[in-house]
Amino acid sequence: MKTLVDWLAHRLWPFVVCLLLYVGFVGPALISAVSTVAVLAGLALLVLLVAWGIVLLRHGFTHKE
């Protein structure tokens, strides 16, 4: 499981796909939902995407070929 997480954390295309899915479909539906649990789930997913983006940015700036 750790290798899958490491692989995903350092690849740009899975992040872009997840970000587009979130922005296009999942995020607006969850954040504007009537249920508090759905809103919290949408915000938690947003926090995970932001954390993933930070990991990608740090890897991009510190990666040495």
Side-chain angles (χ1 to χ4, degrees), residues 22 26-27 30 39-51:
Y22 183 84
V26 178
L30 287 178
V39 172
L40 291 176
L43 291 174
L45 286 173
L46 180 61
V47 167
L48 285 173
L49 280 171
V50 167

Side-chain angles (χ1 to χ4, degrees), residues 23-36:
V23 170
F25 302 105
V26 178
L30 287 178
I31 290 178
S32 65
V34 177
S35 170
T36 303

Side-chain angles (χ1 to χ4, degrees), residues 1-49:
M1 181 70 171
K2 183 163 174 35
T3 58
L4 176 64
V5 172
D6 286 340
W7 183 83
L8 283 174
H10 297 99
R11 300 290 186 268
L12 185 61
W13 68 267
F15 174 73
V16 171
V17 169
C18 289
L19 186 65
L20 289 175
L21 284 173
Y22 183 84
V23 170
F25 302 105
V26 178
L30 287 178
I31 290 178
S32 65
V34 177
S35 170
T36 303
V37 175
V39 172
L40 291 176
L43 291 174
L45 286 173
L46 180 61
V47 167
L48 285 173
L49 280 171

